[in-house]
């Protein structure tokens, strides 16, 4: 379903500096469809990492505990790729860049259950805030 929070419906991001990343996080809504417009090779950070089937407790995320006993999966990205991720139950990050540029269009989508829970959008505001 369409994401009800307008600022999260369509987000274009560009990472260009060494060390640029979107650190480990979950999203407020259930799904993200990500179009990879430009991406460096895997050696320069052109991949995404995720830990599926994790639970986000906003009051006590215990981020590092999520890695114990669970594999961190990685997926190489190339310009032109498109991927769909379950973002509310998959802890995920963009690996830090060491060169090149990562340009993406992220489209958030909601599940029925997202429409009945209270969301505060601090993840969105933290990741995409203008400095």
């Amino acid at each position: 379903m369409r994401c009800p929070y307008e600022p999260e419906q369509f987000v274009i991001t560009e990472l260009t500096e060494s060390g640029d990343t979107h650190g480990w996080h979950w999203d407020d809504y259930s799904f993200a469809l990500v179009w990879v417009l430009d991406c460096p090779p895997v050696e320069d950070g052109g991949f995404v990492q995720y830990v599926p089937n994790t639970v986000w407790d906003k009051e006590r995320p215990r981020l590092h505990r999520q890695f114990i006993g669970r594999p961190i999966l990685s997926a190489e990205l190339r310009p032109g790729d498109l991927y769909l991720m379950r973002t509310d139950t998959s802890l995920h990050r963009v690996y830090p860049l060491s060169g090149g540029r990562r340009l993406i269009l992220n489209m958030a989508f909601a599940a029925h259950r997202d429409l009945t829970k209270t969301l505060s959008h601090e993840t969105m505001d933290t990741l995409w805030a203008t400095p």
Side-chain angles (χ1 to χ4, degrees):
M1 299 173 51
R2 184 180 203 166
C3 175
Y5 185 56
E6 190 172 329
E8 200 162 350
Q9 289 175 357
F10 301 95
V11 178
I12 297 172
T13 63
E14 181 179 37
L15 302 177
T16 59
E17 300 296 322
S18 182
D20 275 357
T21 184
H22 294 142
W24 289 107
H25 66 281
W26 291 269
D27 292 358
D28 288 317
Y29 293 96
S30 292
F31 303 100
L33 183 64
V34 180
W35 299 76
V36 180
L37 304 172
D38 196 12
C39 190
V42 71
E43 296 80 13
D44 289 330
F47 61 101
V48 64
Q49 294 184 298
Y50 58 101
V51 182
N53 303 313
T54 54
V55 176
W56 184 16
D57 177 349
K58 285 188 177 188
E59 299 299 317
R60 195 166 168 226
R62 298 172 44 124
L63 180 70
H64 295 97
R65 283 271 163 216
Q66 303 294 332
F67 301 118
I68 304 302
R70 293 183 177 98
I72 298 172
L73 304 175
S74 301
E76 182 175 357
L77 301 172
R78 294 186 180 99
D81 283 350
L82 171 69
Y83 65 92
L84 176 67
M85 181 180 283
R86 181 64 188 254
T87 53
D88 66 336
T89 59
S90 293
L91 178 62
H92 58 282
R93 77 170 179 169
V94 173
Y95 196 82
L97 294 182
S98 61
R101 172 177 92 144
R102 181 176 191 265
L103 178 66
I104 61 102
L105 167 61
N106 183 75
M107 300 166 59
F109 292 92
H112 286 283
R113 71 188 190 137
D114 296 331
L115 304 179
T116 60
K117 61 185 176 182
T118 303
L119 297 172
S120 59
H121 308 292
E122 68 270 2
T123 299
M124 172 70 178
D125 295 341
T126 300
L127 286 174
W128 314 118
T130 303

